Amino acid sequence: LQDRLPPFSQAEAEAAVAQSLEKPVLQAFASFGPSVAAASIAQVHRARIAGTGEDVAVKVLRPGIERAFRRDIDAFYLAASLIERTLPSTRRLRPTDVIAHFEGVVLGELDLRLETAAAAEFAANTESDEGFRVPRPVWHLSARRMMTLGWAEGVPLGDNAAIDALGVDRTELGERVLTLFLKHALRDGYFHADMHQGNLRLPRTG
């Protein structure tokens, strides 16, 4: 569920990008490659910006994901309502309010403009953190159903063999990741809720 789900088609991804940017894909990007990672909500493509040649990662929402979530949320509301009616003792737990909060969180996840803004804030907060870099978003190539970030090259933190081949001490690396996570939370008030190994890269050099 992190980054290895079956991808949706290249044609669907390119259609979503073209619709979001209101221009053909190859007007915005000199190249737009196949999916390099696919998760439950979206997938990522490697691309190159037309004109500048900058390598970027383009995140695109899955087709129909909004409808799928809407069906699930409506089912949750129905279940919460039935629980409150048939088991009055559960009302103190406010099941319907819990689902309403969940709905708000999910709707935020499905608007990549919010994620683009969060990425920009995270990049600004950590600009002076030695050995840590957040790819900056490309605002004019981001929209509600897609976002574009600078490309991050490196070894996924879930690939232990590749990390060992680089001669990196995984214990020290783990401590470093935890320290940075806490620093960002306590220093900046910024909680990264998805800091798993599928979202982290270790540079091959330097």
Side-chain angles (χ1 to χ4, degrees):
L1 294 177
Q2 292 176 350
D3 59 1
R4 297 184 182 278
L5 266 66
F8 53 90
S9 73
Q10 181 78 4
E12 288 175 306
E14 291 187 9
V17 169
Q19 183 177 30
S20 293
L21 299 179
E22 299 182 341
K23 65 175 69 173
V25 171
L26 293 182
Q27 278 189 18
F29 300 101
S31 63
F32 191 87
S35 169
V36 296
S40 53
I41 291 177
Q43 68 187 32
V44 175
H45 296 254
R46 186 170 186 171
R48 183 167 294 166
I49 297 177
T52 68
E54 179 187 355
D55 285 330
V56 290
V58 181
K59 181 175 180 178
V60 186
L61 289 183
R62 285 186 174 274
I65 190 67
E66 295 93 343
R67 290 193 302 275
F69 267 110
R70 185 72 264 163
R71 287 195 303 269
D72 289 346
I73 290 169
D74 288 345
F76 291 154
Y77 271 121
L78 176 60
S81 176
L82 291 173
I83 288 170
E84 288 181 352
R85 278 200 296 252
T86 58
L87 298 170
S89 62
T90 65
R91 291 174 189 165
R92 64 185 178 82
L93 301 175
R94 301 163 65 187
T96 300
D97 289 345
V98 170
I99 303 306
H101 174 73
F102 174 71
E103 179 181 17
V105 171
V106 166
L107 293 178
E109 287 278 323
L110 297 179
D111 188 342
L112 294 183
R113 293 170 298 186
L114 300 179
E115 186 170 340
T116 302
E121 179 183 354
F122 195 26
N125 288 347
T126 59
E127 194 168 19
S128 299
D129 289 352
E130 186 177 353
F132 186 82
R133 184 177 70 86
V134 176
R136 288 190 174 274
V138 182
W139 283 100
H140 72 283
L141 295 176
S142 299
R144 186 179 65 83
R145 301 198 82 256
M146 62 163 288
M147 66 181 291
T148 303
L149 297 166
W151 180 260
E153 189 63 64
V155 172
L157 258 63
D159 190 341
N160 289 336
I163 292 172
D164 291 342
L166 293 174
V168 174
D169 185 318
R170 281 191 270 136
T171 300
E172 290 183 5
L173 179 61
E175 291 174 354
R176 172 72 172 151
V177 171
L178 180 58
T179 299
L180 285 166
F181 174 82
L182 293 173
K183 178 185 286 188
H184 301 153
L186 299 175
R187 181 193 67 192
D188 306 325
Y190 192 101
F191 174 71
H192 194 307
D194 207 23
M195 205 169 179
H196 59 71
Q197 63 267 32
N199 284 336
L200 296 169
R201 294 287 185 274
L202 180 68
R204 296 180 187 275
T205 59

